[in-house]
């Protein structure tokens, strides 16, 4: 394999640039040529790619976002879209791809390789949600939880100043990992996540108990995909039953997706990028490269996309016990 490509796909995540840099520099160090594909599968179909050199990735390790940009392509879901993508790869003589993204990215890669087995794709987990099976942490998660933690710390100051109850919504459509760790790190009173059924009676019991025991400022961290609704919906339900509470809501939203990656993030992203290229050049394909207990682990796309990483029940217990 002489020529490879790299792209970022799905929701962007801080650390993706560090990973792109590592992919490009490792490939060049091993005597290979690298192309950067803009906007993931969408850019591939539209032949939006360019040759990357060592200097193309100078000064990006500290940047959030992704210099290759990202997209969720609907065209790639169709056979004609994938055919176009294959033709572009053939035209450029590209035989291998490092795909940085989440489970949608890997599902697409799997289907593509079944149809075009002469193209090898290796995946790198890039999503702030940390919901991929086969890695302890995904690229973007550490930065996102630190961003959420800092924002919640700020809100705690004003919550305490006014004796207010805050519902703070963090990202995670299907996963509560951001909510859980940011709740523990900020000493939140409660956390509501999609993986656990929300018991409104229990939540209200706890908040009322606090209220009557001189703890009037409380923080409830809500994952956006919680079964009881987002922060505003849950706040409405609580207000209807407890009009005495002075309630405010904050949705942190996309602020969690940007910003300078943390040190842990940059190191993880660089390692996964380097190992991804090595694996691809060694003939590995159709796997996601992850880090489990600090060791590099390859998980077949099929498994990485079928299973979700499980929430550690000890973390839930910590929120309840330490609040
Ligand atoms: O998958 C990452 C994620 O940030 C989710 O947590 C969130 O629900 C979603 O992306 C938001 O996607 P978009 O940027 O398309 O609104």
């Amino acid at each position: 394999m002489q020529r490879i490509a790299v792209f970022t796909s799905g929701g962007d995540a801080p650390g993706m640039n560090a990973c792109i840099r590592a992919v490009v520099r490792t490939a060049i160090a091993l005597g290979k040529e690298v192309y950067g594909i803009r906007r993931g599968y969408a850019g591939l179909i539209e032949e939006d790619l360019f040759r990357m050199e060592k200097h193309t990735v100078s000064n990006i390790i500290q940047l959030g976002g992704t210099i290759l940009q990202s997209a969720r392509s609907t065209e790639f879901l169709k056979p004609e879209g994938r055919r176009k993508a294959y033709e572009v790869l053939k035209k450029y003589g590209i035989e291998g791809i490092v795909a940085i993204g989440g489970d949608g990215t890997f599902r697409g890669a799997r289907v593509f390789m079944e149809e075009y087995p002469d193209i090898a794709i290796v995946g790198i987990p890039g999503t702030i949600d940390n919901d991929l099976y086969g890695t302890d942490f995904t690229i973007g998660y550490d930065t996102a939880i630190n961003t959420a933690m800092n924002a919640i710390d700020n809100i705690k100051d004003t919550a305490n100043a006014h004796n207010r109850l805050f519902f703070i919504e963090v990202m995670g459509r299907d996963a509560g990992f951001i909510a859980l760790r940011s709740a523990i790190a900020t000493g939140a009173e409660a956390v509501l996540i999609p993986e656990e059924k929300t018991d409104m009676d229990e939540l209200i019991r706890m908040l009322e108990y606090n209220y009557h025991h001189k703890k009037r400022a409380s923080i409830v961290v809500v994952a956006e995909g919680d079964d009881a609704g987002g922060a505003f919906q849950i706040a409405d339900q609580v207000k209807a039953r407890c009009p005495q509470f002075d309630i405010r809501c904050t949705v942190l939203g996309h602020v969690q997706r940007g910003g300078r990656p943390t040190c842990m993030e940059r190191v993880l992203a660089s390692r996964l990028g380097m190992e991804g290229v090595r694996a691809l050049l060694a003939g590995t394909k159709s796997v996601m490269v992850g880090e489990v207990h600090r060791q590099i682990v390859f998980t077949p796309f099929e498994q990485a996309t079928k299973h979700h990483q499980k929430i550690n029940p000890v973390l839930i217990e910590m929120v309840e016990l330490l609040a």
Side-chain angles (χ1 to χ4, degrees):
M1 192 178 293
Q2 193 47 36
R3 199 170 282 169
I4 68 164
V6 56
F7 68 67
T8 48
S9 170
D12 65 306
M16 280 182 163
N17 281 325
C19 189
I20 295 167
R21 173 180 176 272
V23 168
V24 171
R25 296 218 163 146
T26 306
I28 291 173
L30 295 171
K32 307 298 172 187
E33 292 174 16
V34 198
Y35 277 75
I37 300 168
R38 293 192 190 88
R39 295 174 296 111
Y41 294 120
L44 176 57
I45 292 168
E46 292 164 30
E47 204 179 323
D48 192 359
L49 65 169
F50 62 104
R51 179 83 184 268
M52 297 184 89
E53 306 287 354
K54 235 179 134 179
H55 65 80
T56 322
V57 290
S58 292
N59 256 317
I60 65 165
I61 195 167
Q62 75 279 21
L63 302 179
T66 156
I67 61 159
L68 292 178
Q69 299 191 285
S70 195
R72 294 185 174 106
S73 168
T74 45
E75 225 195 317
F76 195 76
L77 298 175
K78 302 178 206 144
E80 315 85 71
R82 294 193 291 274
R83 175 89 221 158
K84 277 194 219 159
Y86 180 70
E87 280 161 9
V88 173
L89 292 172
K90 283 307 214 194
K91 180 172 165 188
Y92 284 79
I94 294 167
E95 296 164 275
I97 300 178
V98 176
I100 309 165
D103 53 4
T105 308
F106 303 153
R107 261 194 294 272
R110 224 185 108 209
V111 175
F112 187 74
M113 275 182 290
E114 271 162 23
E115 291 171 350
Y116 305 105
D118 53 327
I119 303 293
I121 307 180
V122 159
I124 310 243
T127 162
I128 64 163
D129 290 346
N130 202 39
D131 56 350
L132 289 170
Y133 180 80
T135 192
D136 288 340
F137 299 110
T138 55
I139 296 172
Y141 177 63
D142 189 59
T143 307
I145 51 178
N146 277 286
T147 302
M149 179 187 75
N150 289 327
I152 298 169
D153 281 349
N154 288 2
I155 292 169
K156 273 187 86 164
D157 291 344
T158 174
N160 281 314
H162 288 272
N163 275 338
R164 280 177 172 155
L165 163 60
F166 267 86
F167 290 92
I168 304 173
E169 187 178 305
V170 297
M171 274 189 165
R173 207 169 13 211
D174 311 302
F177 294 98
I178 297 177
L180 199 47
R181 283 199 187 243
S182 60
I184 294 170
T186 55
E189 274 61 40
V191 64
L192 309 180
I193 56 174
E195 292 86 347
E196 289 256 298
K197 179 134 187 54
T198 293
D199 184 339
M200 286 302 287
D201 294 338
E202 178 54 35
L203 177 68
I204 287 171
R205 224 182 347 261
M206 183 273 290
L207 293 170
E208 282 190 321
Y209 178 88
N210 286 352
Y211 189 84
H212 295 300
H213 289 80
K214 296 200 173 77
K215 195 181 183 189
R216 295 199 167 174
S218 290
I219 300 289
V220 179
V221 179
V222 182
E224 64 174 317
D226 187 65
D227 61 289
F232 281 97
Q233 285 158 295
I234 293 171
D236 285 346
Q237 295 176 51
V238 172
K239 187 74 184 170
R241 290 170 59 181
C242 311
Q244 73 276 23
F245 291 159
D246 188 7
I247 300 179
R248 293 290 186 275
C249 293
T250 304
V251 176
L252 297 185
H254 286 77
V255 80
Q256 297 157 95
R257 281 254 290 266
R260 294 165 79 86
T262 61
C263 179
M264 292 289 284
E265 202 82 86
R266 299 179 199 191
V267 175
L268 173 74
S270 301
R271 184 177 187 198
L272 296 181
M274 181 185 78
E275 296 292 354
V277 172
R278 283 183 176 162
L280 193 63
L281 297 179
T284 309
K285 61 183 207 173
S286 210
V287 296
M288 183 192 88
V289 186
E291 199 188 70
V292 176
H293 299 143
R294 303 201 184 276
Q295 301 298 316
I296 290 297
V297 170
F298 299 117
T299 305
F301 281 149
E302 202 185 343
Q303 264 176 277
T305 54
K306 214 181 259 171
H307 307 290
H308 260 208
Q309 187 176 172
K310 294 264 175 299
I311 290 276
N312 181 350
V314 173
L315 298 181
I316 298 177
E317 202 188 332
M318 281 173 74
V319 179
E320 289 163 6
L321 191 77
L322 304 179

